[in-house]
Amino acid sequence: MKPIISTQPIPPKTLTPDAYRQLEHSASLKGLLKPFKGKGELDYLAQVARETEAQLCHLMEAVVQQAGQPPYSLLDIRLVLQNTSAGSTFLRWRTRDFARMGVAVWERQVSNKALPQAVREELHRFECERIALNLQMSVVHSLYRQASTCAIKMASAERLLRQFTPAAEISR
């Protein structure tokens, strides 16, 4: 059986250690595992998580762009960005006609016996990158939501305390 696409040069890998270098510094857990003294520190944590989400989105866009180049663009599969109602973004596999979505679409394509092995291996790499980036986005987005919610709760607790604290004690 003739391959469904010709084997063309495979582009370089997108998610190299250099691609993550900037994320490593902003996403340290060192700042998470400490006592928070007030709303400001939680707001800062939420801000860092939001910035990290944006950086992850750039990495996702790079993977989508690479997966959209030949020979992959000749397949009946697309890697796309999907924005969720919760405000985060995830990578999803879709058919070219957008009729189906999910890992089953990728599995069907990779299982095609006419697919050249080099392309199959690169689709595997894209799938592994998709899984890892989606995990990272999920964790960071959850951290953002939790930090934001906790900042609101802490501000509410501080307001309540101020309502019942004599003015002389506030100025101390």
Side-chain angles (χ1 to χ4, degrees), residues 68-87:
Q69 299 296 314
Y72 321 108
S73 60
L74 303 173
L75 301 172
D76 187 36
I77 189 172
R78 299 287 176 264
L79 189 59
V80 297
L81 291 170
Q82 180 186 31
N83 297 318
T84 68
S85 59

Side-chain angles (χ1 to χ4, degrees), residues 25-128:
H25 299 292
S26 66
S28 169
L29 287 179
K30 187 171 85 176
L32 173 63
L33 303 174
K34 67 175 188 171
F36 290 97
K37 294 183 174 115
K39 175 187 177 293
E41 290 181 350
L42 289 164
D43 283 335
Y44 178 73
L45 179 62
Q47 175 190 339
V48 169
R50 195 49 116 184
E51 290 167 0
T52 304
E53 278 185 297
Q55 292 170 330
L56 284 169
C57 258
H58 289 303
L59 291 177
M60 289 177 163
E61 289 166 356
V63 173
V64 166
Q65 184 177 25
Q66 189 179 23
Q69 299 296 314
Y72 321 108
S73 60
L74 303 173
L75 301 172
D76 187 36
I77 189 172
R78 299 287 176 264
L79 189 59
V80 297
L81 291 170
Q82 180 186 31
N83 297 318
T84 68
S85 59
S88 59
T89 303
F90 292 100
L91 289 168
R92 302 281 189 242
W93 290 109
R94 296 200 78 130
T95 55
R96 185 184 296 209
D97 63 3
F98 285 83
R100 290 184 308 274
M101 178 175 74
V103 176
V105 171
W106 175 84
E107 289 172 347
R108 185 174 181 189
Q109 184 68 68
V110 170
S111 299
N112 184 337
K113 291 181 180 13
L115 193 67
Q117 186 61 28
V119 174
R120 183 176 287 112
E121 289 173 9
E122 286 302 304
L123 286 176
H124 173 262
R125 179 178 62 83
F126 287 136
E127 174 62 357
C128 290

Side-chain angles (χ1 to χ4, degrees), residues 157-172:
E158 288 172 10
R159 274 192 305 275
L160 186 62
L161 177 64
R162 289 186 191 283
Q163 283 179 344
F164 295 98
T165 302
E169 289 185 30
I170 293 176
S171 61
R172 278 194 240 171

